[in-house]
Amino acid sequence: MAHRKIIHIDMDAFFAAVEQRDHPEYRNKPIIVGGKPDTRGVVATCSYEARKFGIHSAMSSDRAYRLCPQAIFIKPRFEAYKEASCLIRQIFSEYTELFEPLSLDEAYLDVSHNLSCRGSATLIAKAIKQSILQKTGLVASAGISYNKFLAKIASDMDKPNGLYLIAPEQGEQFVKTLAVGKFHGIGKATEKKMHALGIKTGWDLKQQSLSFLIQNFGKAGQYFYNISRAIDHRAVNNHRKSKSVGVETTFQADIKEHAEIIRQLQQLLEKALKKLQDKGLNAKTLTIKIKYDDFVQITRSRTLAISISKAIDTTSILENLLKNTAVGQRKVRLLGVALSSFDNQLLNYRQMDLFDYT
Ligand code: TTP
Ligand code: MG
């Protein structure tokens, strides 16, 4: 069977790179995008200049400040990051219809059937990097391999401005020496558990039986068994997997007051919008779910002509949705909010104006 050709693209210091592009005075300087110190904020990301001081994503801004007092702290500008994200997805779509964004700044591309660049995935990755630089002024790293797991690891190997290939004959050897903490899909908690079981590297993982792994890690056991052998059959999926993004909450004590219910729904909506933003998506349909104290559940939804965001009057939409419900009269034990009908991404990217930085 012929191997797939998968590219994983991940932008370098994405938010920080956009800031340095748009503000020349920030270039070559340690900059931190995220919360300011003294606000209990955290670092979303930082420039490579700041990483030299040991600063990294998710660290508290206070700690970052102590490590590098001269660092420049910048409030995130999500609109700018989304715009850059749209542009890179537009570029991906020029090379393959089969691409799967994982977040604003990264995506898998399946270029198995792409005949440009003499069919060389490495040359295609190079061309994509060049096009990204030309059209967005930003630098990306690319990993090339025969499955998603290895392509993702590869994009991290040579950062920043990386281009790294793991060829089919290198895959197994490559995984052998890799620390399990570097495996995509093995987070901090799983890493700790593996260490406790004496599993430190891909080689150690490969020594474990499938039944042992399933016994200790449940469903993920099969995935760990496969990746320790550099096997990953997951296809690049360009269909939006989640048809909706939702959050819900069950109250410790039932609530009844109309104003309180609106307030709770607003909070849930904010959380759902944040989730949506993290996925780089827009939604036009808002659905609310109400479970009364007798466990009877109803939903109400409304689809707008424009994307739902904080910029629109969500309170009046929520008020309207509550009109034909028993809210205010009956006790409520659970509320939920879901956002759906995402924009057709490809269509949107094609509609965007492209601009050149060169
Ligand atoms: P990453 O790709 O993880 O990081 P990065 O692009 O900043 O740096 P690298 O060169 O190592 O790829 O994440 C992409 C963006 O997502 C990042 O610029 C900011 C945002 N982000 C957060 O807001 N919080 C986080 O904890 C992480 C990891 C990222
Ligand atoms: Mg990145």
Side-chain angles (χ1 to χ4, degrees):
M1 195 186 77
H3 288 289
R4 286 189 179 125
K5 293 177 189 173
I6 310 291
I7 299 173
H8 179 255
I9 299 277
D10 188 299
M11 304 298 290
D12 296 334
F14 184 48
F15 293 2
V18 172
E19 298 303 335
Q20 287 183 322
R21 176 195 71 186
D22 295 348
H23 302 95
E25 68 274 23
Y26 296 159
R27 290 182 196 161
N28 306 313
K29 297 214 171 113
I31 68 161
I32 292 169
V33 180
K36 295 226 179 309
D38 292 330
T39 59
R40 294 170 63 202
V42 293
V43 174
T45 194
C46 60
S47 63
Y48 276 77
E49 292 83 358
R51 293 184 196 195
K52 287 188 198 136
F53 294 86
I55 300 168
H56 57 75
S57 292
M59 172 183 278
S60 80
S61 299
D62 280 344
R63 170 117 195 271
Y65 178 76
R66 286 197 296 276
L67 288 169
C68 180
Q70 71 272 35
I72 304 165
F73 284 81
I74 302 161
K75 209 173 123 200
R77 290 183 302 133
F78 286 103
E79 285 310 314
Y81 315 144
K82 262 193 250 168
E83 186 174 279
S85 182
C86 278
L87 286 171
I88 62 170
R89 289 179 191 180
Q90 154 75 30
I91 293 164
F92 299 154
S93 75
E94 286 164 10
Y95 287 85
T96 176
E97 290 288 305
L98 210 52
F99 71 90
E100 177 183 342
L102 297 179
S103 68
L104 287 181
D105 95 319
E106 60 176 312
Y108 291 113
L109 290 77
D110 186 329
V111 296
S112 306
H113 305 291
N114 185 312
L115 297 178
S116 64
C117 302
R118 291 178 271 126
S120 157
T122 304
L123 292 181
I124 294 170
K126 221 172 174 172
I128 291 172
K129 272 163 56 86
Q130 250 162 25
S131 182
I132 290 177
L133 182 62
Q134 191 197 14
K135 291 188 174 127
T136 71
L138 300 168
V139 179
S141 289
I144 305 112
S145 199
Y146 56 98
N147 62 39
K148 282 178 155 183
F149 172 69
L150 291 172
K152 173 131 176 133
I153 289 173
S155 72
D156 223 20
M157 291 304 297
D158 192 26
K159 256 182 185 292
N161 198 11
L163 185 76
Y164 196 92
L165 165 75
I166 302 176
E169 60 277 12
Q170 298 169 319
E172 270 205 80
Q173 185 61 31
F174 195 89
V175 173
K176 248 189 194 174
T177 52
L178 207 65
V180 288
K182 288 258 179 207
F183 285 48
H184 182 51
I186 299 186
K188 281 269 165 282
T190 310
E191 181 187 16
K192 219 171 144 190
K193 191 166 171 191
M194 286 197 178
H195 281 186
L197 293 166
I199 305 169
K200 297 236 159 75
T201 64
W203 169 257
D204 299 336
L205 193 58
K206 198 178 170 186
Q207 305 315 304
Q208 314 306 321
S209 70
L210 179 59
S211 58
F212 176 85
L213 290 174
I214 289 176
Q215 194 187 324
N216 281 283
F217 302 102
K219 268 193 208 152
Q222 176 73 61
Y223 174 72
F224 297 152
Y225 182 86
N226 285 349
I227 58 176
S228 70
R229 289 160 179 75
I231 295 167
D232 178 6
H233 296 303
R234 290 173 303 159
V236 173
N237 184 356
N238 58 350
H239 307 293
R240 230 82 26 74
K241 270 173 289 182
S242 47
K243 291 274 180 279
S244 74
V245 161
V247 277
E248 56 180 46
T249 183
T250 303
F251 304 106
Q252 286 193 330
D254 296 349
I255 59 172
K256 190 168 170 192
E257 209 198 315
H258 189 274
E260 165 72 352
I261 286 173
I262 288 279
R263 202 174 63 77
Q264 293 287 351
L265 286 170
Q266 281 287 15
Q267 276 182 12
L268 291 168
L269 178 57
E270 266 188 42
K271 276 192 198 152
L273 282 169
K274 169 82 179 46
K275 269 189 164 179
L276 202 66
Q277 186 179 53
D278 291 346
K279 292 181 184 235
L281 297 170
N282 293 309
K284 291 182 175 162
T285 301
L286 169 64
T287 303
I288 60 167
K289 176 161 114 183
I290 302 165
K291 198 187 269 180
Y292 298 113
D293 58 348
D294 61 356
F295 288 83
V296 170
Q297 187 175 302
I298 60 158
T299 60
R300 293 284 182 271
S301 61
R302 169 142 181 234
T303 300
L304 307 183
I306 52 162
S307 298
I308 296 162
S309 73
K310 277 195 218 159
I312 62 171
D313 184 2
T314 48
T315 309
S316 69
I317 297 170
L318 290 170
E319 298 270 16
N320 267 316
L321 287 173
L322 291 183
K323 263 183 189 156
N324 290 314
T325 68
V327 160
Q329 294 135 45
R330 284 182 55 184
K331 286 186 186 164
V332 169
R333 60 173 279 118
L334 172 150
L335 287 172
V337 164
L339 295 166
S340 56
S341 21
F342 303 134
D343 287 337
N344 181 324
Q345 297 187 353
L346 275 179
L347 211 68
N348 278 333
Y349 304 138
R350 295 218 167 100
Q351 282 162 351
M352 291 217 28
D353 289 330
L354 291 177
F355 42 91
D356 262 356
Y357 280 86
T358 46

